[in-house]
Amino acid sequence: GRAFIAAISRPVIFMIPSLFVLAHFLGIKGVWYTFAASDVLTLIAVALLGGLITTGVTAIVAAPAVPLIIGSGLLASGEWTTTAIVAVALAFLLVIVGVHVAMALGVRLYFAALVAVLEEEGAIRSLVRSWELTTGHFWRVLLALLVLALFVSVGVMILIVPAQLITAVVGIASMALAQSLNGAFQALTQVVLQPIPVSYTHLRAHE
């Protein structure tokens, strides 16, 4: 029952409405755009749901930090009493736990967008599928993402810094041309250095 509902959710929620709307405004061309529109809407839904889940769970974990600080009397008196010190320490610990929870959820739900596009799943099923793929592989995926992020950051700096120097020189003659070149360099950097999600294929192979 649940599998059937998950399977038809994407066509019912996104594809069929997109087909009617795009066909009405664009005619036969709108039919061809339906699949792309469905993908975009599904990705937006995945991002929103994933963000809500991560934010909600993190807030639930870290929320007790606020009454701890208020109840300690530190804000009212400004005095670092023993109670205030303990309360601040516990609040800080809760915030740290919340950050780790957010990071863990980010890793577990990282492949949801890929699942939505490559496996043509709905938003909820994509999040569930990403969770299934990363089960038992959390630390491997986390390490891979950290390494990819490091390489991307270094690569962006290598390409962006010379681009900014060039555009600064060109900007003396033409500010508009400088902005165009700078935008082109940044766009090219994002395309070239966008990490290929090979981990997704690897995880699927080990299911």
Side-chain angles (χ1 to χ4, degrees):
R2 293 183 179 179
F4 175 75
I5 294 175
I8 67 172
S9 62
R10 177 168 176 161
V12 171
I13 297 175
F14 296 124
M15 189 168 293
I16 295 177
S18 298
L19 177 61
F20 280 106
V21 172
L22 293 176
H24 175 74
F25 288 102
L26 301 176
I28 190 64
K29 290 184 179 179
V31 178
W32 297 106
Y33 295 146
T34 299
F35 293 98
S38 177
D39 286 340
V40 171
L41 293 173
T42 302
L43 289 175
I44 293 174
V46 167
L48 290 176
L49 285 175
L52 286 174
I53 292 172
T54 302
T55 303
V57 174
T58 304
I60 291 173
V61 173
V66 177
L68 276 174
I69 296 296
I70 297 176
S72 67
L74 178 63
L75 298 179
S77 64
E79 297 181 1
W80 286 90
T81 62
T82 302
T83 302
I85 293 174
V86 172
V88 169
L90 290 175
F92 180 75
L93 179 62
L94 286 172
V95 171
I96 294 298
V97 172
V99 170
H100 282 77
V101 168
M103 181 180 68
L105 288 174
V107 172
R108 296 301 300 269
L109 303 178
Y110 177 78
F111 297 104
L114 287 171
V115 171
V117 175
L118 299 180
E119 299 185 19
E120 299 183 350
E121 297 284 5
I124 297 177
R125 177 56 189 163
S126 296
L127 293 169
V128 173
R129 179 80 173 120
S130 178
W131 190 278
E132 293 172 349
L133 286 171
T134 54
T135 299
H137 305 284
F138 174 81
W139 296 109
R140 183 187 304 174
V141 174
L142 176 61
L143 179 60
L145 293 179
L146 290 176
V147 172
L148 286 173
L150 177 62
F151 276 105
V152 170
S153 300
V154 173
V156 167
M157 292 299 298
I158 291 174
L159 291 183
I160 290 297
V161 171
Q164 291 177 339
L165 292 175
I166 294 173
T167 53
V169 174
V170 177
I172 299 176
S174 173
M175 182 61 68
L177 180 58
Q179 292 177 349
S180 299
L181 285 175
N182 189 47
F185 272 117
Q186 292 187 22
L188 179 61
T189 299
Q190 293 299 320
V191 173
V192 173
L193 294 177
Q194 184 67 27
I196 300 174
V198 293
S199 297
Y200 167 75
T201 304
H202 178 76
L203 291 176
R204 288 204 62 184
H206 284 76
E207 284 189 293

